[in-house]
Amino acid sequence: MEFFFNPKGIAVVGATANKLKGGYAIFRNLVIGFKGGIYPVNPGYKEIDGITCYESVKDVPDPVDLAIVFVPGKNVLKIVKDCALRGIKGVMIEAGGFAESSDQGKAMQAELTAFAHHAGIRLWGPNCMGLVDAVHKKIFSFVSPGIWDELIPGDVSLIVQSGMLSGGFLIHCMSHGIMGISKVCSIGNKMDVDECEILEYLINDPDTKVVGLYLESINHGRKFMEICQSSSKPIVLLTGGKSAGGAAAALSHTASMAVNTAVASGAMAQAGVIEAMDFNQMIDLCRSLSAYPELHTMGEGRIAVLTYTGGAGIISSDFIDQMNLTIANLSISTREKLKTVFPDWMPVSNPIDLWPAVERHGGDVVYKAAVEAVCADPGVDAIFIHAFTGGFFLDFDMAVLADQAKLAGKPVFCWVIGTSDAAKKFKLKALDLKIPVFTELFRAVECIDAVFTRKKNLERVSRTTMETDPFQINETSRQILESRAGILDEYLSKQVLAGCGIPITEEYLAASVQEAGQNAGSLGFPVVMKGLKDGTIHKTETGLVKLGISTENGIKAAFNELQTAMGIKGKILVQQQIQGDLELIAGLIRDPQFGPCVMVGLGGVLTEVLNDFVFGVAPLTHTQALELIDRLKTQKLLNGFRGAGAVDRNALAKILVKLGQLGCEVPMIKEIDINPLMICKGKPVAVDASVILSNQDMT
Amino acid sequence: MEFFFNPKGIAVVGATANKLKGGYAIFRNLVIGFKGGIYPVNPGYKEIDGITCYESVKDVPDPVDLAIVFVPGKNVLKIVKDCALRGIKGVMIEAGGFAESSDQGKAMQAELTAFAHHAGIRLWGPNCMGLVDAVHKKIFSFVSPGIWDELIPGDVSLIVQSGMLSGGFLIHCMSHGIMGISKVCSIGNKMDVDECEILEYLINDPDTKVVGLYLESINHGRKFMEICQSSSKPIVLLTGGKSAGGAAAALSHTASMAVNTAVASGAMAQAGVIEAMDFNQMIDLCRSLSAYPELHTMGEGRIAVLTYTGGAGIISSDFIDQMNLTIANLSISTREKLKTVFPDWMPVSNPIDLWPAVERHGGDVVYKAAVEAVCADPGVDAIFIHAFTGGFFLDFDMAVLADQAKLAGKPVFCWVIGTSDAAKKFKLKALDLKIPVFTELFRAVECIDAVFTRKKNLERVSRTTMETDPFQINETSRQILESRAGILDEYLSKQVLAGCGIPITEEYLAASVQEAGQNAGSLGFPVVMKGLKDGTIHKTETGLVKLGISTENGIKAAFNELQTAMGIKGKILVQQQIQGDLELIAGLIRDPQFGPCVMVGLGGVLTEVLNDFVFGVAPLTHTQALELIDRLKTQKLLNGFRGAGAVDRNALAKILVKLGQLGCEVPMIKEIDINPLMICKGKPVAVDASVILSNQDMT
């Protein structure tokens, strides 16, 4: 990737002297800051702005390892071929009109990709804004020259699939002084170079501390996830196309398919990726995490709120309470210190309302005293300052506060409202001091929470937990898997699961009423009898399940009814009847993006109402399986309710680990569905299950 | 209230010539725009800025009907007494140091309130910023003079309990050109004048189209709700203190108690109030509703999204899908019109990505053509325009688009990013054209949704629906209620409910085993037997419930066990055993703020997990009861699941109406709890219930 990020020389194919055209802008933007060779290519010019222009890319002198191409789509293949001949290693194609627009465009894109793979040349784009490196002022983009004076170097890098958005947001952030940027990579249709390669590059890039991504599709889900998982830098992701409507839009825009949201979200959570939901929010999360990528506070988010308005203090408290944060309990010493600036009648509490003190001593004195006090308080992990830029003597010197907090190792976040010019100045100063500032109170608290959530995630990763059982499968299981095909019936499915150590109901096949009676005798009444018919999954709906059989006569009746319902081919299963406290579901799927994935969810009535299920990418460690369970919205139900004991989470995690191992070790398993996975005295037991094999049915 | 909003003359008690003091600011702010008499009062001055200063309020000449007081708390009572003597009708007390600060302050406040009630003088505040009327430039506040040039007159009025916040947000909105203002009323500790009176005033104020409120407490819940309910103007409410932390902060700030969130939220929803969660969001909702208080579109929110970036189009689609809005299906004619500006290769879809067309024809031509097309499309209810202020030829003339849309009667909303100066200009222009502009995409969609939700609410109110049954209660019920006290046992409780027409299980008291047997005979096996012990609600936990009794022997055993468990004093109930499809809970409480309130929620296991219950303020009409049911998060569960039929919502609504009527008609009922209210073949039946009477237990 070095020839994209640090090329020695660049050919600009489609450069022009017409200042209204993108071909001029690309050339001009290079002149602004790029230190290597700049070679405009256009047969219509001898020179542009005094720099020699070449007839063909083949004529360009050394050093040249990158071409930026801005010509109509139909001419691109010819140029890429010329680039390959000239020994150029990378081509950045910024124009649109490819796979996002028409079948013809799709064909052109496919041809280009095929040629690139064959010739070993790398292609970036098309349909993108290229690359901007704010730290080294390298602008490989057609975005208007003349705006780059406002470029704020920083340590957040962005990978953006939407071209206009990458340029637009960059300009927005620059002009509003919202965030310093390291690199913005606009990858468009990503026909060759994709988010995975760029993300890997940025994770190793010393100028980048945080990576934010806006993606409309993920090309290689599992690879992407593994890269994120291995990253020591925070990664913030916004994906489009989550709803049916959004997905339709994504399809027409950058030729993307919406990924299965639940699987992708599960994978991202497992990889420690922070998911954003909106553009500005993504930017806000990125800049907050870049300010505080690692925290060394004692606690897990005890916040001191310094406010000038009780109302904002109250709403902040509400938000803090909604998140995984708490309002810090101030120490006696902190209270004493605050009393020195507070009026006598004023009680000290957190949120700390500084207004009456400010009325007496002014903002500078009071904010300094308050920050000093909470910095010294071992019960405070972070400081949330409310500022006002518009009079009332509320001004304070942010630099002094920043120094105090830095010394104490405590993160500071700011909420500001006030007059607009002063607010902008305040924000720029804060940016310089690396203090994140927000105008929306909720957003501020959301970002504080993200910083502490990352701290907790990092700590959890470093904690040792229960060991993961190695994969074992018994001979019976193996034989079933090797000799069968298609949908295994309940009995065989559960034999496979049991053979890997997943608990199942006690059950027997009965060839006759007599055998069924004997089985029931050893199981004890009541029993369940089921008719197993090859290739059928839904037994209840077809009358093949008889519950609560408590007598010999019942067995006889059920046996005959089941046999009649199935015809001679079916088998009859006699099964222990389980009285469960809670129904779960669990399973395994193979996702086209992420490969084998384990699912766990609430079952029974709850399935339909709550849609509460989560996916994890296999293999799962025992710890990851526990975390997967934790991600269920209603996971507190597992702690027991109405006298029912708590679910044995370790036992449940073991089942999930084994399901994942089955998916990874036995490629012929296409799908596993345990429904219900009944919780009985806290222990999960597979009551019904289907294992579906991908090989052809041999019967 | 006229003497607060339109006084003829104002005495400024505590006026001073010291320009750094609030007492000067109040005086100076009056001079800016108040047309009536201005009388500074301070024994230390003969005049201030050339205007005569009086020694005491008693010396002030006519006309004077309002005093603004800015002196230390301990002097206030004396001044208020002087004001009463002078015949002044209203006193605005802006200083703090009262109930929010100390017991002494509380006492002072109580004394003031008592005096005012006695003397018939009205008090506004204390601990507030007073009143700003931007339309008539009346500034009755100590907020710094010199900022008022930026005041933007508009039609949103605010009632804000937090002083600093009202001033701060006013300045913020003014300076950022966010919103035009009619009146900002800062009510502080509201020891006399409260939100109810001001809200009533503003609802009748011709300058006000929308009222936004930030409250830390509601003084008279039911009255407040009734005022909101009767308002033809949209009301947006943000309340602080929703969480435990927030409530603690509220307590210390403006001497407020947090209201019961669930009850208050239910009451507000019932009254059609739009609840906000954050300050800027409240402002954004207010300005959106003031732009479009009433819509006359055909559909209920079919949105055309005009974007310059596919990425923002996708995310907009996702948000629209999350809300009660849809992405409009463009008509063939709209598609044809768009094709005239689109490049050939570009398919037309919604979100409408205008960028490739803008590249060819410039923003002005393309945005105009697109707005024209969707304005003429009968399948489009609203237009969501994405704008960029920072080049790329994306500029367009907003005034032209606004005219088109106005003519078509379709609301326009804008999302804008770009360079900051141009964005500010864009926002001010939009403000002038009454088009709401947003920087956050989600917020924009949230506000579009609020405007259409209001449209739907208004339509619903005007629709006629099923009539509400009048309240009837039979003689048995009445006798029980009149002759008993305290907690009624299950049998009596359900007799009361049955006597009002609420369906209950069939059941009999049995004095002997023989009688129990006869009862079971007429009910049919299986039956439930319960031991009823005076004053006990929780029977299951104390072993007083025997389920699934199916034999004569079972009855005998159960009877003896229950009798032993209870001792001789208990009664034994034999009850039909109901096999329900779904467990609900329903009940009645008396809220200190809102009076009798009806509750309905998910029962059984779901109660603990989902916390899904809602409150409505009684009496409920049948329609209101149906709407209450609709507010359950998991109300779709009532549509049937897993073969179980749909719940008869009318039958359920009737029960809720009757519970409310009981609460309103029978004041001695303190509480009713129906748990479970079982759904059996779609019909709700009270399976267990407690009625609690408030009079003393007479036994």
Side-chain angles (χ1 to χ4, degrees), chain A residues 128-143:
Chain A
C128 75
M129 288 240 181
L131 167 69
V132 173
D133 177 337
V135 175
H136 304 102
K137 241 186 171 174
K138 286 183 231 172
I139 302 145
F140 304 165
S141 175
F142 65 90
V143 173

Side-chain angles (χ1 to χ4, degrees), chain A residues 101 175 278 280 345 420 439 442, chain B residues 101 175 278 280 345 420 439 442:
Chain A
S101 65
S175 177
D278 203 350
N280 285 301
W345 57 261
S420 76
T439 313
F442 182 76
Chain B
S101 64
S175 178
D278 203 350
N280 286 301
W345 57 261
S420 76
T439 313
F442 182 75

Side-chain angles (χ1 to χ4, degrees), chain A residues 63-365:
Chain A
V64 63
D65 44 3
L66 178 64
I68 304 177
V69 176
F70 201 73
V71 299
K74 61 182 188 320
N75 303 335
V76 171
L77 182 60
K78 167 78 175 65
I79 288 162
V80 170
K81 283 182 177 170
D82 286 352
C83 288
L85 284 175
R86 176 63 188 80
I88 287 172
K89 290 172 188 156
V91 179
M92 202 173 264
I93 303 161
E94 303 196 355
F98 290 85
E100 81 284 4
S101 65
S102 65
D103 288 339
Q104 197 192 339
K106 254 182 217 143
M108 288 197 311
Q109 190 170 311
E111 211 176 346
L112 273 167
T113 313
F115 174 78
H117 285 319
H118 164 76
I121 196 168
R122 301 304 310 273
L123 305 180
W124 176 305
N127 189 24
C128 75
M129 288 240 181
L131 167 69
V132 173
D133 177 337
V135 175
H136 304 102
K137 241 186 171 174
K138 286 183 231 172
I139 302 145
F140 304 165
S141 175
F142 65 90
V143 173
S144 352
I147 62 162
W148 302 109
D149 287 346
E150 284 187 299
L151 207 54
I152 308 166
D155 43 31
V156 174
S157 288
L158 300 175
I159 302 174
V160 187
Q161 197 169 343
S162 173
M164 273 306 300
L165 210 57
S166 58
F169 254 94
L170 177 59
I171 292 170
H172 181 75
C173 290
M174 275 160 47
S175 177
H176 286 80
I178 294 172
M179 181 170 80
I181 289 280
S182 174
K183 296 174 181 66
V184 177
C185 310
S186 167
I187 55 174
N189 291 8
K190 50 188 186 179
M191 63 175 162
D192 176 26
V193 170
D194 67 10
E195 61 274 12
C196 287
E197 280 175 288
I198 297 182
L199 180 57
E200 270 185 316
Y201 183 89
L202 294 175
I203 287 172
N204 293 311
D205 172 29
D207 294 332
T208 298
K209 265 197 201 164
V210 175
V211 183
L213 300 100
Y214 168 70
L215 297 177
E216 286 160 18
S217 67
I218 295 176
N219 271 1
H220 306 283
R222 201 176 186 93
K223 186 176 157 201
F224 180 74
M225 182 207 166
E226 283 164 3
I227 295 167
C228 292
Q229 203 156 20
S230 70
S231 165
S232 61
K233 298 175 182 174
I235 294 170
V236 181
L237 173 68
L238 172 61
T239 51
K242 279 174 189 153
S243 66
L251 206 58
S252 70
H253 177 54
T254 317
S256 311
M257 288 285 292
V259 294
N260 180 329
T261 307
V263 173
S265 284
M268 292 308 115
Q270 193 171 328
V273 171
I274 297 113
E275 277 207 82
M277 59 157 273
D278 203 350
F279 297 109
N280 285 301
Q281 185 216 23
M282 180 178 111
I283 300 291
D284 293 339
L285 288 167
C286 283
R287 60 196 181 89
S288 301
L289 288 158
S290 95
Y292 309 114
E294 280 179 38
L295 292 181
H296 302 285
T297 59
M298 295 275 291
E300 303 203 325
R302 299 163 300 171
I303 315 297
V305 181
L306 274 49
T307 189
Y308 57 91
T309 154
I314 291 168
I315 300 285
S316 299
S317 277
D318 281 345
F319 293 151
I320 285 169
D321 230 65
Q322 280 173 38
M323 304 279 177
N324 297 311
L325 302 168
T326 51
I327 287 286
N329 256 322
L330 302 180
S331 71
I332 292 168
S333 148
T334 301
R335 287 165 193 274
E336 291 302 326
K337 285 179 202 158
L338 287 169
K339 274 185 189 161
T340 62
V341 288
F342 272 37
D344 291 341
W345 57 261
M346 178 89 180
V348 176
S349 60
N350 184 18
I352 308 168
D353 187 351
L354 301 176
W355 172 241
V358 169
E359 272 190 308
R360 277 153 188 79
H361 311 285
D364 249 329
V365 170

Side-chain angles (χ1 to χ4, degrees), chain A residues 431-487:
Chain A
L431 188 62
D432 207 42
L433 294 166
K434 293 198 148 280
I435 291 177
V437 175
F438 307 86
T439 313
E440 298 271 348
L441 207 43
F442 182 76
R443 180 66 51 77
V445 178
E446 204 180 3
C447 287
I448 300 175
D449 186 61
V451 164
F452 278 93
T453 299
R454 180 165 162 83
K455 169 187 153 75
K456 282 173 248 181
N457 282 344
L458 289 176
E459 284 167 358
R460 200 173 51 190
V461 168
S462 68
R463 270 202 311 271
T464 53
T465 48
M466 200 165 169
E467 252 179 65
T468 309
D469 291 342
F471 183 57
Q472 287 186 322
I473 184 165
N474 72 5
E475 203 40 40
T476 315
S477 274
R478 196 172 294 281
Q479 273 181 17
I480 295 171
L481 290 169
E482 280 166 9
S483 64
R484 302 283 172 153
I487 302 169

